[in-house]
Amino acid sequence: MSKIISVWLVGFMLLFVNQGLCAKKLSNKQLTIGISQEFENLNPLVKQMSATSYIYSLVGRSLVGMDADGKTSHQLAVTTPTLENSMAKFDGKGKNRTLKVDWEIKKNASWGDGKPVTGHDYKFTWKVAMTDTISISSRDAYENILDIVVNKANPKKFSIIYKSPKWNFNRRFAFYALPKHLEEAIYKKYKSKPGAYEKNSMYVSKPTHPGLYNGPYVINEVKLGSHVVVTQNKHFYGKAPKIKKIVLKLIPNTNTLEANLRSGNIDMISSLGLSFDQALALDKKVKKTDMGFDVKFKQSLTYEHIDLQLKNKILQDIQVRKALSIGIDKKGLVDALFEGKQYVAHHSFAPIDPWYTDNSKVVVKYKYSRRSAKKMLDKAGWKLSADGFRYKNGQKLAFTIMTTSGNKVRELVQVYLKDQWKKIGVDVQIKNEPARILFGETFRKSKYKAMIMYAWTSLPEESPKTTFHSEFIPTKSNSFTGNNSMNWKNKKVDAILEELDGEFDQNKRIKLAHQIINFYTDEIPVIPLYFRADVSVVPKKLSGYRLTGHSQLSTNHVENWSVE
Amino acid sequence: MSNYIIRRLIQAFFVLIILSYLCFSILSLMPGDPVDVMITSNPKITKEDITRLKKLYGLDKPNYVRYFNWLTSALSGDLGYSRVYKIKVEKLLGERLINTFILSVCSLVMAVTIGIAIGVYAGMKKGSKFDYIVNFISYGLISMPSFWLAIVLIMIFSIWIPILPAGGTRTVGDNSIVGLTSILDRIRYLILPALSLASLQLGIFVRYARSAMIEALGNDYIRTAKAKGLGPSRILWNHAFRNALIPLITVVTLSLSGIFSGAIITETVFSYQGVGKLVYDSIIGNDFNVAMVSFMISVAMILTMNLLADILYGVVDPRISYK
């Protein structure tokens, strides 16, 4: 009896060992990607999570996209409509002026079930987005549309008519279509009941139906909170992807992503994986021992900065704000903490943004000088006391700086800043909160007392209206919308921001953006710190992979990936 | 006894209702409702969007109305939809609950059987080398951070000796894994998380079993049994162990009450698709329906296991009776 048991045990052990040791060889047959962020269902209209956008880009395409160089590229559209090629035309005058934009979808563009993608899909999507019972978070992309007219003779051609013309009419990166032939019946059935359409949509009930997707891949298997498997879309309009199957595995603990990579459980780590400090550590290991991976870094548009609370009486003094900025050695910060792989920021536009400038006539730069910072504070009446801190009329020059607790990188930056400011006699106390409370309450309602450190990301040439315009100072009357949490009010900036949206001349737009930068850096309502870098770990054998640095993620170009 | 059980079940029902209201209220008191959370991630949301979304999610209504709506639909069998995933709560939780149950039961069975056996033996050999070693190891296991142990196990069995997967619940993307291979595949993914979870519980059971056994063996009735000339195994199992079972029942039943709650750290480190992280995310993300159902399962399990413990006390100790 014991012999039989022993044989069985040995058999099981061998099977386990065999399965464990038979690690698959990386090839174009399958690529397994690790992500650390949760994803939701793939209905493009209601998706909100970054990981969902990452996955959706494998299976869905927009009319136009943005490539890794920040340039607009055609996806489903034959060409990009512009005023110059007469595919976009104004109609009417003054406030009644509308803009008609003609789009044409590629002839062979079809859904995964072979049905053509047409203007009817876009019109249907717009109709669904504008329905009050649908839980779409923002209608920004849809509410400026007056009508969508589909060409009767050729439904591949359609026109979007905008109520209020804006220069970025042809940058419809997030206008993903819903397949009318599959979703219309569901929409009609459930549209009157709040939240019912999206819960009964085929993206929920039959997420593996190929007809829901028009990208290079279709969903083969999806398990929320675990993994997604995509396989090639036979009806994809563009270049067929070389990798046959892609598996995306959710590994929520970033500490174990590396272990999963080294054990062969995953082949690469996406840009939604490692934190920056982990990437730096792995980069060193990878360079020391040939592990067959490359850690890729790409400068991004994610802007780390400190909002200064302008309701704070001490911070209302511009000399104090400038002294605080001059008192930080930003170059030293990025070199010490990020080994120079993240980049010093002088304002909110990143070097990869066409609106970026470092022209000293435009940008007021604050070169690090402890002596100048001390002089400025002396001039502002803040005198150094024996305890090493400054006082004015018995009040100590002291602030609190807040950020998201548990974010190791930001906590390190805080310590660095505290030390730097202490050297000029400013006492800074760290007070952190969980992201949920910090962003859900403290930041959103502008409740912080002095400083809050966080980041936001954007696309190139994105208007900072919701962050800089005084209309977007969060108050009860506007339901605390807007990100101007520093309470910055500048009528000239407001006027420029309003003009910016309606300016169709690229050069004039750049000039307007530069005017904003000038006010922003001169009045210093925010202390810019650095631009983050996107990181990803990819096998050396993988070619064609490029990090983008913006919100149109690397999976938008998945058809270029190949295992050599 | 049956009257007692019925009385306790009725009490449990009211406790569930009261606690559900408390949980709902505490969730509502957390800063920022689901729409607030959306605003922070999307600067383009307008005032009109907020009014529309608050109405859509029923957040414009007072707390007690929202609670009543949730309760009536839950009692009618409709647990609602996850706001985040837009799928039915039972569909979202179903498979994860089974995964968590399998993981918890496997680790608990390992911990209880090994822990009690070692603890009983150490109790019998109090002061021996074996007892000292067991004490040392069990203290070590209790004090060991679960994430550290998990990472060490991954390093050993997935990287240095790559025989087990570093994480997941099963092999994905391979359609050839079916039948017995599929079961073996699931077991391979279960070994490390179960081992990690069991190691932590093992120390606790060893400690409890050992001290309960030492206490039982020191009682007068053991001396009497020995004086009567009873054999060592009869003294051990019929007299000492049976009396040592009462504190062990409390510990084991309380551990059983957590079999559906999930082990958030273990599940997260091993990317095991259980309910632990989902519950945490649902609380943080204000996904009310998911969080409430998870709360209710946890509360119901604690109440049930407490009742079970009370019944078992009566079974092992004839002096305890319920009227």
Side-chain angles (χ1 to χ4, degrees):
Chain A
M1 184 67 182
S2 62
K3 270 187 185 174
I4 296 170
I5 293 170
S6 305
V7 169
W8 268 97
L9 278 173
V10 170
F12 270 106
M13 288 288 285
L14 283 174
L15 202 60
F16 283 138
V17 172
N18 183 43
Q19 285 199 348
L21 293 177
C22 289
K24 63 183 177 18
K25 203 183 161 195
L26 184 63
S27 71
N28 274 330
K29 273 188 184 169
Q30 183 177 319
L31 181 75
T32 308
I33 307 173
I35 53 169
S36 65
Q37 295 180 20
E38 284 276 353
F39 50 90
E40 75 242 88
N41 83 66
L42 291 160
N43 187 325
L45 206 58
V46 290
K47 69 180 171 64
Q48 288 180 46
M49 297 176 176
S50 303
T52 316
S53 298
Y54 185 85
I55 298 166
Y56 188 79
S57 297
L58 294 168
V59 295
R61 288 290 144 98
S62 185
L63 289 167
V64 285
M66 185 174 274
D67 65 19
D69 299 315
K71 286 178 187 149
T72 304
S73 58
H74 316 138
Q75 289 191 335
L76 287 164
V78 172
T79 186
T80 307
T82 61
L83 290 168
E84 290 74 30
N85 66 16
S86 300
M87 286 176 79
K89 283 173 196 160
F90 292 112
D91 190 21
K93 277 182 182 175
K95 281 186 180 176
N96 295 324
R97 190 170 78 150
T98 57
L99 179 70
K100 183 172 166 263
V101 183
D102 298 330
W103 290 95
E104 186 178 354
I105 300 164
K106 284 175 181 162
K107 270 184 189 167
N108 57 346
S110 10
W111 297 99
D113 57 1
K115 295 273 184 330
V117 180
T118 68
H120 293 297
D121 294 316
Y122 283 91
K123 186 163 185 165
F124 168 68
T125 307
W126 169 60
K127 199 167 130 190
V128 177
M130 292 308 290
T131 308
D132 276 348
T133 51
I134 310 294
S135 62
I136 176 171
S137 60
S138 168
R139 287 171 169 175
D140 180 67
Y142 310 98
E143 61 192 357
N144 192 25
I145 296 173
L146 188 69
D147 196 9
I148 294 180
V149 183
V150 184
N151 188 312
K152 279 179 189 166
N154 179 5
K156 288 269 179 188
K157 289 182 177 178
F158 67 101
S159 305
I160 302 180
I161 299 148
Y162 292 100
K163 292 176 210 169
S164 156
K166 288 183 182 172
W167 72 271
N168 54 1
F169 63 88
N170 53 11
R171 291 159 55 99
R172 313 302 299 161
F173 306 129
F175 196 170
Y176 295 108
L178 294 171
K180 189 184 174 199
H181 65 288
L182 296 176
E183 290 289 283
E184 192 179 33
I186 302 164
Y187 167 72
K188 279 185 177 167
K189 190 175 173 188
Y190 293 103
K191 68 177 178 183
S192 56
K193 204 177 161 197
Y197 157 69
E198 53 270 44
K199 288 166 188 165
N200 291 284
S201 147
M202 276 180 74
Y203 288 97
V204 171
S205 59
K206 281 184 191 164
T208 55
H209 193 296
L212 295 168
Y213 312 103
N214 57 32
Y217 291 91
V218 289
I219 301 284
N220 185 258
E221 187 183 341
V222 59
K223 185 76 75 183
L224 293 175
S226 175
H227 63 268
V228 175
V229 181
V230 298
T231 47
Q232 286 175 329
N233 177 3
K234 288 172 198 161
H235 298 280
F236 181 51
Y237 63 87
K239 186 171 84 176
K242 286 181 182 152
I243 298 167
K244 285 189 176 140
K245 186 194 281 184
I246 295 179
V247 178
L248 293 116
K249 274 191 186 175
L250 173 66
I251 299 166
N253 187 306
T254 57
N255 293 315
T256 55
L257 270 169
E258 187 190 327
N260 276 275
L261 186 72
R262 291 175 65 181
S263 69
N265 201 24
I266 54 174
D267 301 316
M268 64 176 269
I269 301 174
S270 79
S271 52
L272 306 174
L274 295 175
S275 64
F276 194 79
D277 55 326
Q278 289 173 322
L280 279 180
L282 185 59
D283 187 39
K284 278 179 199 156
K285 272 188 228 168
V286 162
K287 281 175 181 159
K288 254 188 202 169
T289 51
D290 185 23
M291 289 159 70
F293 302 106
D294 280 327
V295 182
K296 292 198 182 276
F297 296 87
K298 163 103 193 221
Q299 186 176 17
S300 83
L301 288 149
T302 308
Y303 173 51
E304 283 281 355
H305 58 282
I306 302 168
D307 279 4
L308 301 173
Q309 178 56 271
L310 300 182
K311 279 186 192 164
N312 181 309
K313 285 200 175 152
I314 303 175
L315 287 172
Q316 278 172 359
D317 184 345
I318 195 166
Q319 294 300 315
V320 174
R321 301 204 298 269
K322 289 192 173 186
L324 287 171
S325 192
I326 291 171
I328 307 169
D329 179 7
K330 292 181 196 169
K331 178 79 174 60
L333 185 149
V334 296
D335 285 345
L337 301 182
F338 313 129
E339 297 173 13
K341 286 195 165 81
Q342 304 207 96
Y343 310 87
V344 170
H346 296 294
H347 51 76
S348 62
F349 299 129
I352 57 172
D353 191 324
W355 288 357
Y356 173 82
T357 178
D358 63 352
N359 182 345
S360 55
K361 286 180 186 167
V362 175
V363 184
V364 183
K365 283 188 185 167
Y366 298 92
K367 200 180 165 196
Y368 171 61
S369 166
R370 215 182 290 166
R371 190 188 290 171
S372 306
K374 283 177 180 174
K375 267 189 190 171
M376 272 182 163
L377 291 173
D378 283 337
K379 208 173 151 188
W382 294 96
K383 303 294 176 198
L384 201 63
S385 174
D387 64 356
F389 294 110
R390 291 174 183 272
Y391 292 83
K392 185 179 175 181
N393 304 325
Q395 189 187 4
K396 194 178 186 182
L397 186 56
F399 305 107
T400 50
I401 183 166
M402 303 184 81
T403 194
T404 40
S405 56
N407 185 319
K408 224 165 33 176
V409 175
R410 284 198 187 128
E411 284 171 351
L412 279 172
V413 173
Q414 273 181 321
V415 174
Y416 182 91
L417 295 174
K418 185 182 160 82
D419 180 59
Q420 295 254 300
W421 283 329
K422 194 181 172 188
K423 286 175 182 160
I424 58 166
V426 183
D427 182 20
V428 174
Q429 295 300 320
I430 294 168
K431 190 186 166 205
N432 295 341
E433 288 177 347
R436 161 76 192 270
I437 297 168
L438 190 86
F439 293 121
E441 187 75 11
T442 312
F443 167 75
R444 200 169 82 74
K445 296 184 180 171
S446 188
K447 282 184 172 177
Y448 60 99
K449 292 209 167 75
M451 304 176 186
I452 190 164
M453 182 167 66
Y454 68 103
W456 43 261
T457 193
S458 56
L459 278 168
E461 299 179 86
E462 190 147 314
S463 167
K465 193 175 175 182
T466 58
T467 312
F468 298 168
H469 198 292
S470 61
E471 196 183 289
F472 290 89
I473 291 173
T475 59
K476 202 175 178 182
S477 62
N478 66 13
S479 303
F480 299 104
T481 47
N483 280 351
N484 187 348
S485 80
M486 52 281 181
N487 291 279
W488 187 35
K489 289 175 198 164
N490 183 320
K491 283 184 181 170
K492 284 180 187 168
V493 172
D494 290 354
I496 299 166
L497 284 165
E498 275 156 28
E499 198 184 333
L500 188 65
D501 279 346
E503 181 53 68
F504 285 78
D505 184 310
Q506 161 83 348
N507 293 327
K508 284 182 185 168
R509 229 169 24 241
I510 290 175
K511 272 187 186 167
L512 291 172
H514 289 182
Q515 284 177 37
I516 296 169
I517 292 172
N518 182 258
F519 282 111
Y520 182 70
T521 51
D522 188 38
E523 295 189 12
I524 196 160
V526 168
I527 299 177
L529 290 175
Y530 58 92
F531 285 101
R532 289 214 301 241
D534 279 356
V535 290
S536 180
V537 187
V538 294
K540 280 186 174 166
K541 286 179 174 178
L542 185 72
S543 64
Y545 176 87
R546 287 186 75 192
L547 281 168
T548 63
H550 52 71
S551 53
Q552 289 268 295
L553 299 161
S554 52
T555 42
N556 243 301
H557 322 289
V558 67
E559 54 269 44
N560 298 330
W561 300 5
S562 172
V563 177
E564 302 296 339
Chain B
M1 180 68 120
S2 54
N3 279 346
Y4 172 78
I5 294 172
I6 291 167
R7 209 168 57 235
R8 284 288 298 268
L9 287 174
I10 294 168
Q11 278 174 3
F13 176 76
F14 286 105
V15 170
L16 263 177
I17 298 289
I18 293 165
L19 281 178
S20 69
Y21 183 68
L22 276 175
C23 291
F24 196 91
S25 305
I26 290 168
L27 271 176
S28 313
L29 282 175
M30 282 170 71
D33 60 34
V35 178
D36 292 332
V37 176
M38 276 186 206
I39 296 166
T40 54
S41 60
N42 190 344
K44 288 178 179 169
I45 286 187
T46 61
K47 189 183 165 184
E48 290 72 31
D49 285 328
I50 290 171
T51 314
R52 174 177 58 85
L53 289 166
K54 290 219 173 190
K55 196 178 168 195
L56 199 92
Y57 291 125
L59 297 167
D60 54 342
K61 295 189 179 90
N63 194 33
Y64 69 90
V65 176
R66 285 163 53 202
Y67 170 74
F68 186 73
N69 289 344
W70 173 81
L71 185 68
T72 44
S73 57
L75 287 175
S76 66
D78 177 11
L79 300 176
Y81 281 83
S82 158
R83 183 189 60 79
V84 175
Y85 298 102
K86 311 268 183 313
I87 61 171
K88 286 200 162 200
V89 172
E90 54 265 39
K91 196 179 169 194
L92 185 65
L93 279 173
E95 198 180 330
R96 291 179 193 233
L97 276 172
I98 295 167
N99 288 341
T100 289
F101 175 80
I102 294 169
L103 174 63
S104 303
V105 167
C106 285
S107 60
L108 200 63
V109 167
M110 263 198 270
V112 167
T113 48
I114 302 169
I116 292 180
I118 294 175
V120 166
Y121 192 69
M124 285 161 58
K125 304 279 175 192
K126 187 189 164 195
S128 65
K129 271 187 189 171
F130 177 80
D131 185 34
Y132 284 123
I133 292 167
V134 165
N135 271 335
F136 178 77
I137 294 172
S138 55
Y139 276 126
L141 290 174
I142 292 167
S143 343
M144 206 180 285
S146 53
F147 68 88
W148 181 82
L149 178 65
I151 289 173
V152 167
L153 288 172
I154 291 174
M155 292 296 288
I156 297 172
F157 295 105
S158 304
I159 297 176
W160 296 340
I161 316 163
I163 53 169
L164 292 169
T169 315
R170 64 179 175 85
T171 302
V172 291
D174 189 348
N175 299 332
S176 66
I177 299 175
V178 284
L180 178 67
T181 336
S182 160
I183 296 168
L184 286 173
D185 182 63
R186 290 293 293 259
I187 295 171
R188 284 181 70 238
Y189 280 87
L190 190 65
I191 291 173
L192 289 187
L195 204 61
S196 161
L197 204 56
S199 305
L200 303 169
Q201 294 167 321
L202 187 74
I204 298 169
F205 289 124
V206 168
R207 295 294 307 151
Y208 271 100
R210 180 187 172 275
S211 56
M213 205 61 192
I214 290 170
E215 198 190 332
L217 285 169
N219 281 318
D220 288 345
Y221 52 78
I222 298 292
R223 206 181 316 136
T224 311
K226 281 179 185 166
K228 275 164 65 182
L230 292 179
S233 74
R234 198 160 168 205
I235 293 172
L236 181 70
W237 298 115
N238 285 17
H239 295 274
F241 185 66
R242 192 162 176 182
N243 281 288
L245 268 178
I246 293 178
L248 288 176
I249 285 171
T250 314
V251 187
V252 174
T253 48
L254 280 179
S255 301
L256 274 171
S257 63
I259 55 170
F260 287 114
S261 308
I264 179 164
I265 295 173
T266 309
E267 286 177 3
T268 308
V269 173
F270 289 104
S271 320
Y272 188 83
Q273 210 198 355
V275 287
K277 192 169 181 295
L278 179 70
V279 174
Y280 173 79
D281 288 341
S282 66
I283 297 166
I284 294 294
N286 237 327
D287 201 349
F288 270 73
N289 289 339
V290 180
M292 283 303 293
V293 171
S294 315
F295 275 141
M296 289 303 95
I297 292 172
S298 297
V299 172
M301 282 304 290
I302 289 170
L303 293 171
T304 313
M305 289 304 151
N306 270 316
L307 177 62
L308 183 70
D310 287 345
I311 294 166
L312 287 175
Y313 292 151
V315 174
V316 295
D317 190 344
R319 290 170 299 178
I320 301 169
S321 66
Y322 300 104
K323 285 176 184 168

